[in-house]
């Protein structure tokens, strides 16, 4: 007899743990969302322990009742979430993409047996990094609820591991993550998840050789604090931020690569000893990230075989070391076949102050991601995958793609765009096409296949140029040498050429998304407009804003001040438009979601363009600020009459710009 699943179905469990109880509550919540009140008997879902079932796996037997058997918390959690997705239709990103459910009286589930899918990745999860959008945002007045929804989405994707935030957030959210059944691990700059040295000991220079015992105490305290959690202990020694320790060490004792590698090796061994003192059978990992990868590649860092060696992509999905400032050696970071325990730290969101994506989707192809991750699996990098998920919502498309790789599935632009559009937007070919063509529209700024521009390309670099010009610096801007050399004008011209060369593709994509939006209606239109269309607007408006800005700099070079002033105003308006479109997407619970866009910070790019406008006006207008005003406002026959200097209050830069635009039009 088939099982009747409805609002009267009872969930009875002999497993009384926090993660399992939490998963039961999730399923009960989903039942209330999916079912109307029904009079028929709903049977029973029973949970019972079975030691013969492997860790994190489950067996579901459907008869007159449903029996769920597992041997650990995560096995039960995954089983309950499977029932929610399979029979109630609740998708992994239901919360983040506003999935609506139609209520029914109940459903009939055929008898049979279901066993869990086996992942190919042992420890698989997300790093909530650069999470500035969700740090302050609340749902129903609660920021904890935001994180709960993030951890639930991770579990629904089949993840089991999390870095639950950066710095203070990570320590704050550990308890919640542990209570949902997740393994905890740590930022690659936070040894054993300890407090940063400079915060724990303010005023003390973070020099290991001078404060050895303070470092040891900090690490041991961290181990004790987390001793009740499931932890993958991160072994490392970096600086007081996401940078090398020797950049903050003032002792001068680590002036060679050999000395740096020797100290890191020594301290990783010490950290292992501290953990083993308090924890039985600990799991260890170390992140070979950035400069650490370079030292390891040269044989200067020694690691025990039981430590999972975690290599990282460059922030753009390519398994090479990241570019840092103007240093871009692109050391191969692919795991090595037969290289022992290995894993990866992989980005679908990145923040590098140069060209990465933070509030828009990864700008490279799903096919490209599939190729890189398939290479990781083929080279035995299957022990540990942590994906930088940032603030989740803007990155759901690629997070959904990567979770398929956790279970050994192939992904492609064509198949994934079709499946994702079906799951969250309905079977709409136009929406699938908009997803499919997104990476094709992204502007390429370099010769390598990963070097496509995220929105930071259009925001961060403009602010750097504006800052330099306002300070009177006209020579080489060192922060831009990664993309262009020469003086500031040559560097600006190169940036302008890059964006102009790709603008046609962005324009075509923007028009495609607009046309798609016009063909939709109701909730699907709202979702499409707030996600895919909105991201197309960010790219298009910001790219146009950068072009106008760079054109203005060229006019400044030739002292065409009035033309530069208007172009800078045009640039600021475009950045304001991009920011406004982003904020208009904040419906319902999403109110305030993008308010703390302080990384890409589109609004600040507008501010810096306007700030430069003010400087340009001082060069081109006269001391009394009446010349440009007369040109913009006065009739031709009145311009030469000076009986009264001005007839209105002095105009602000923005008011003057608008008057000039009105005259042009």
């Amino acid at each position: 007899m088939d099982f009747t699943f409805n609002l009267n179905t009872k969930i009875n469990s002999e497993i009384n743990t926090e993660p399992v109880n939490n998963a039961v509550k999730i399923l009960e919540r989903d039942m209330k969302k999916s079912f109307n009140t029904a009079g028929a008997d709903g049977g029973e879902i029973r949970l019972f322990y079975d030691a013969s079932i492997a860790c994190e796996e489950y067996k579901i037997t459907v008869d007159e009742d449903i029996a769920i058997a597992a041997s650990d918390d995560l096995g039960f959690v995954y089983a309950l979430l499977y029932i929610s997705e399979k029979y109630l239709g609740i998708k992994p990103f239901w919360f983040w993409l506003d999935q609506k459910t139609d209520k029914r009286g109940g459903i009939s589930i055929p008898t049979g047996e279901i066993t869990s899918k086996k992942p190919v990745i042992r420890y698989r999860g997300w790093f909530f990094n650069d999470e500035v959008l969700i740090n302050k945002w609340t749902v129903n007045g609660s920021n904890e609820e935001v994180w709960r929804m993030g951890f639930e989405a991770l579990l629904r994707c089949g993840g089991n591991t999390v870095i639950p935030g950066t710095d203070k957030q990570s320590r704050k959210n550990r308890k919640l993550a542990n209570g949902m059944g997740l393994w905890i691990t740590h930022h690659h700059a936070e040894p054993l998840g300890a407090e940063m040295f400079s915060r724990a000991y303010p005023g003390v220079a973070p020099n290991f050789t001078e404060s050895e015992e303070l470092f040891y105490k900090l690490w041991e305290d961290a181990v004790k604090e987390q001793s009740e959690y499931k932890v993958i202990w991160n072994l490392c020694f970096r600086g007081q931020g996401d940078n090398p320790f020797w950049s903050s060490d003032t002792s001068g004792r680590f002036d060679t690569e050999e000395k740096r590698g020797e100290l890191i090796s020594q301290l990783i061994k010490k950290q292992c000893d501290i953990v083993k003192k308090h924890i039985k059978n600990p799991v260890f990992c170390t992140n070979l990230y950035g400069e650490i990868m370079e030292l390891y590649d040269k044989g200067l860092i020694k690691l025990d075989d039981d430590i999972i060696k975690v290599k990282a992509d460059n922030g753009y999905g390519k398994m090479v070391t990241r570019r840092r400032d103007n240093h871009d050696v692109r050391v191969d970071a692919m795991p090595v076949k037969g290289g022992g325990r290995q894993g990866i730290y992989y980005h679908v969101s990145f923040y590098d102050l140069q060209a990465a994506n933070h509030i828009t989707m990864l700008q490279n192809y799903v096919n490209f991601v599939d190729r890189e991750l398939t290479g990781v699996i083929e080279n035995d990098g299957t022990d540990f995958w942590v994906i930088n998920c940032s603030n989740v919502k803007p990155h759901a498309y690629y997070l959904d793609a990567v979770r398929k790789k956790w279970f050994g599935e192939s992904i492609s632009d064509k198949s994934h765009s079709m499946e994702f559009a079906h799951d969250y937007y309905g079977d709409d070919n136009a929406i699938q096409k908009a997803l499919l063509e997104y990476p094709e529209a992204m502007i390429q700024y370099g010769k390598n296949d990963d070097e496509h521009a995220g929105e930071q390309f259009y925001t961060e670099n403009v602010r750097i140029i504006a800052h330099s010009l306002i300070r009177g610096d006209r020579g080489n801007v060192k922060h831009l040498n990664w993309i262009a050399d020469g003086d500031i004008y040559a560097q600006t011209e190169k940036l302008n050429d890059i964006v102009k060369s790709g603008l046609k593709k962005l324009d075509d994509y923007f028009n495609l998304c607009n046309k798609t939006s016009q063909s939709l209606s109701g909730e699907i239109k709202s979702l499409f407009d707030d996600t895919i269309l909105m991201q197309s607007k960010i790219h298009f408006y910001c790219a146009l804003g950068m072009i106008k800005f760079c054109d203005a700099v060229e006019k400044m070079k030739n002292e065409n001040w009035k033309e530069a002033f208007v172009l800078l105003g045009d640039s600021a308006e475009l950045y304001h438009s991009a920011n406004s479109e982003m904020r208009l997407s904040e419906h319902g619970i999403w109110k305030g979601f993008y308010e703390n866009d302080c990384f890409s910070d589109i609004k600040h790019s507008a501010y810096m363009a306007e700030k430069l406008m003010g400087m340009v006006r001082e060069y081109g207008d006269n001391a009394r600020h009446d010349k440009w005003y007369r040109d913009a406002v006065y009739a031709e026959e009145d311009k030469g009459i000076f009986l009264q200097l001005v007839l209105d209050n002095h105009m602000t830069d923005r008011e003057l710009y608008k008057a000039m635009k009105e005259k042009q039009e």
Side-chain angles (χ1 to χ4, degrees):
M1 181 184 295
D2 291 352
F3 176 77
T4 300
F5 191 22
N6 62 27
L7 203 55
N8 291 329
T9 299
K10 305 299 180 187
I11 305 174
N12 294 316
S13 172
E14 66 179 41
I15 315 301
N16 186 26
T17 65
E18 187 177 359
V20 175
N21 290 339
N22 178 71
V24 168
K25 289 177 183 176
I26 289 174
L27 181 55
E28 289 174 338
R29 178 204 65 201
D30 293 348
M31 289 163 59
K32 290 176 182 175
K33 285 168 39 179
S34 303
F35 294 137
N36 294 315
T37 302
D41 177 44
E44 183 180 61
I45 299 175
R46 293 180 291 107
L47 281 62
F48 65 93
Y49 180 80
D50 184 342
S52 68
I53 296 176
C55 171
E56 298 185 6
E57 296 183 13
Y58 60 81
K59 181 171 71 173
I60 301 173
T61 304
V62 182
D63 205 334
E64 292 185 2
D65 291 326
I66 290 181
I68 298 175
S71 64
D72 67 348
D73 286 346
L74 279 177
F76 291 109
V77 170
Y78 294 145
L80 291 163
L81 295 178
Y82 171 86
I83 290 171
S84 173
E85 180 174 2
K86 175 71 174 176
Y87 301 114
L88 302 181
I90 310 296
K91 299 297 180 182
F93 296 96
W94 71 269
F95 171 80
W96 299 93
L97 291 174
D98 296 315
Q99 183 189 359
K100 303 296 189 292
T101 53
D102 295 324
K103 289 197 173 187
R104 300 161 282 177
I107 58 174
S108 182
I109 302 177
T111 58
E113 189 172 278
I114 303 156
T115 55
S116 49
K117 288 194 300 184
K118 289 180 169 48
V120 298
I121 309 303
R122 173 62 187 97
Y123 299 107
R124 52 203 181 274
W126 293 347
F127 180 9
F128 290 80
N129 184 217
D130 303 329
E131 68 280 20
V132 293
L133 301 185
I134 61 175
N135 276 346
K136 297 180 180 180
W137 179 58
T138 62
V139 173
N140 299 324
S142 168
N143 182 250
E144 182 178 296
E145 186 66 12
V146 173
W147 290 91
R148 186 181 297 278
M149 289 296 99
F151 299 155
E152 179 183 319
L154 171 57
L155 289 165
R156 286 183 177 276
C157 287
N160 61 4
T161 302
V162 70
I163 305 176
T166 309
D167 196 18
K168 293 179 180 180
Q169 281 287 3
S170 181
R171 281 180 286 285
K172 185 183 85 171
N173 293 320
R174 282 173 188 162
K175 186 176 188 299
L176 175 62
N178 177 74
M180 295 182 76
L182 292 162
W183 286 78
I184 308 298
T185 191
H186 315 114
H187 190 293
H188 44 267
E190 298 175 357
L192 308 180
E195 179 64 272
M196 298 301 290
F197 183 93
S198 293
R199 182 178 294 123
Y201 307 113
V204 181
N207 299 334
F208 175 78
T209 52
E210 297 168 11
S211 303
E212 184 174 327
E213 292 305 318
L214 293 181
F215 277 99
Y216 293 159
K217 181 180 186 305
L218 202 59
W219 298 339
E220 187 152 16
D221 287 346
V223 174
K224 291 176 182 177
E225 288 168 10
Q226 300 169 82
S227 61
E228 300 303 313
Y229 300 160
K230 297 185 300 183
V231 178
I232 302 165
W233 300 96
N234 175 46
L235 312 168
C236 65
F237 190 66
R238 296 190 78 204
Q240 295 304 289
D242 197 357
N243 49 37
F245 75 84
W246 52 89
S247 67
S248 56
D249 185 289
T250 58
S251 69
R253 298 180 184 179
F254 303 100
D255 54 352
T256 68
E257 290 185 328
E258 289 75 15
K259 292 176 183 177
R260 295 164 183 173
E262 182 181 0
L263 180 65
I264 292 168
S265 302
Q266 170 195 334
L267 295 186
I268 283 176
K269 176 68 169 63
K270 177 64 176 180
Q271 290 164 9
C272 281
D273 292 342
I274 290 172
V275 174
K276 288 175 180 177
K277 177 180 170 185
H278 298 280
I279 307 295
K280 278 188 178 181
N281 303 316
V283 181
F284 293 118
C285 74
T286 190
N287 284 269
L288 304 176
Y289 188 69
E291 75 285 344
I292 305 297
M293 179 64 206
E294 294 177 39
L295 293 174
Y296 180 79
D297 191 59
K298 294 175 181 177
L300 300 177
I301 294 179
K302 309 299 181 186
L303 301 171
D304 291 343
D305 291 340
D306 65 338
I307 299 171
I308 301 171
K309 296 178 287 297
V310 181
K311 296 181 179 180
D313 73 305
N314 65 345
Y316 297 78
K318 185 72 174 178
M319 290 304 300
V320 296
T321 52
R322 66 165 291 188
R323 178 179 59 242
R324 182 175 289 284
D325 299 321
N326 299 312
H327 184 64
D328 190 16
V329 293
R330 293 179 71 92
V331 173
D332 183 13
M334 187 65 73
V336 178
K337 195 166 185 63
R341 304 187 74 186
Q342 300 177 88
I344 59 169
Y345 169 40
Y346 197 80
H347 297 78
V348 299
S349 173
F350 192 43
Y351 176 53
D352 68 349
L353 306 172
Q354 292 180 331
N357 66 302
H358 181 251
I359 53 175
T360 61
M361 296 190 293
L362 178 67
Q363 58 272 29
N364 287 316
Y365 294 92
V366 175
N367 287 2
F368 164 86
V369 172
D370 182 66
R371 184 177 72 243
E372 293 297 301
L373 296 182
T374 298
V376 171
I377 293 170
E378 290 175 347
N379 284 282
D380 301 333
T382 58
D383 289 286
F384 179 99
W385 284 18
V386 164
I387 314 302
N388 189 321
C389 69
S390 187
N391 301 280
V392 185
K393 182 180 174 68
H395 311 294
Y397 181 65
Y398 282 89
L399 289 171
D400 196 56
V402 174
R403 63 118 177 171
K404 296 174 182 177
K405 298 300 293 183
W406 288 346
F407 292 87
E409 299 177 32
S410 292
I411 53 174
S412 70
D413 290 281
K414 185 176 181 180
S415 65
H416 185 59
S417 61
M418 185 181 300
E419 291 164 7
F420 194 83
H422 169 78
D423 285 347
Y424 296 102
Y425 297 90
D427 290 313
D428 191 292
N429 292 334
I431 295 177
Q432 184 212 337
K433 185 176 175 62
L435 287 166
L436 181 65
E437 295 198 7
Y438 175 81
E440 179 67 28
M442 298 297 103
I443 292 174
Q444 184 150 6
Y445 64 81
K447 65 182 185 298
N448 296 297
D449 57 356
D450 56 284
E451 292 180 325
H452 293 94
E455 82 284 342
Q456 290 167 55
F457 190 80
Y458 316 115
T459 56
E460 183 68 27
N461 297 303
V462 159
R463 298 197 293 263
I464 290 170
I465 295 167
H467 168 79
S468 297
L469 290 170
I470 290 167
R471 286 172 52 87
D473 299 333
R474 303 295 186 266
N476 176 262
V477 181
K478 66 177 183 179
H479 293 301
L480 299 180
N481 283 334
W482 67 275
I483 190 69
D485 54 17
D487 66 12
I488 192 169
Y489 298 113
Q491 291 174 305
T492 302
E493 184 179 0
K494 175 66 181 296
L495 288 166
N496 205 10
D497 289 344
I498 290 170
V499 181
K500 284 181 175 177
S501 70
L503 187 65
K504 176 65 164 59
K505 292 193 301 181
L506 272 183
D507 190 6
D508 289 345
Y509 184 70
F510 175 67
N511 290 326
L512 168 69
C513 290
N514 268 320
K515 184 177 178 181
T516 300
S517 172
Q518 292 164 14
S519 71
L520 302 172
S521 61
E523 292 171 348
I524 295 300
K525 174 178 169 57
S526 180
L527 177 61
F528 178 84
D529 289 357
D530 294 344
T531 53
I532 302 170
L533 176 60
M534 185 267 287
Q535 292 195 35
S536 79
K537 290 177 177 178
I538 288 175
H539 275 280
F540 184 60
Y541 291 153
C542 289
L544 272 179
M546 188 176 198
I547 288 171
K548 294 287 189 181
F549 180 92
C550 293
D551 285 346
V553 174
E554 192 270 335
K555 297 297 182 184
M556 290 175 63
K557 177 183 177 182
N558 297 313
E559 298 188 0
N560 295 325
W561 302 114
K562 189 181 290 186
E563 292 178 69
F565 180 84
V566 173
L567 284 166
L568 287 168
D570 292 343
S571 175
E573 288 292 291
L574 285 159
Y575 285 117
H576 280 307
S577 294
N579 184 65
S580 295
E581 292 293 343
M582 184 171 68
R583 300 305 307 276
L584 286 170
S585 72
E586 298 175 325
H587 303 295
I589 64 167
W590 301 106
K591 185 174 176 57
F593 181 76
Y594 290 104
E595 183 174 353
N596 198 39
D597 164 37
C598 59
F599 279 0
S600 299
D601 211 344
I602 299 172
K603 61 188 178 298
H604 194 59
S605 299
Y607 167 78
M608 290 301 290
E610 290 170 338
K611 202 170 186 180
L612 188 58
M613 280 175 71
M615 188 196 83
V616 165
R617 184 178 180 184
E618 300 311 317
Y619 280 102
D621 203 355
N622 62 9
R624 293 187 171 91
H625 281 185
D626 68 285
K627 183 176 182 300
W628 282 6
Y629 153 78
R630 283 175 171 268
D631 289 345
V633 174
Y634 279 26
E636 196 64 35
E637 64 270 19
D638 295 330
K639 289 182 181 177
I641 307 301
F642 291 94
L643 295 175
Q644 293 176 311
L645 188 64
V646 294
L647 298 175
D648 306 289
N649 288 321
H650 287 85
M651 285 185 164
T652 64
D653 295 337
R654 193 169 180 82
E655 288 168 342
L656 180 59
Y657 161 75
K658 288 187 175 180
M660 288 177 168
K661 292 297 288 185
E662 286 174 10
K663 184 172 182 180
Q664 281 183 1
E665 293 166 2

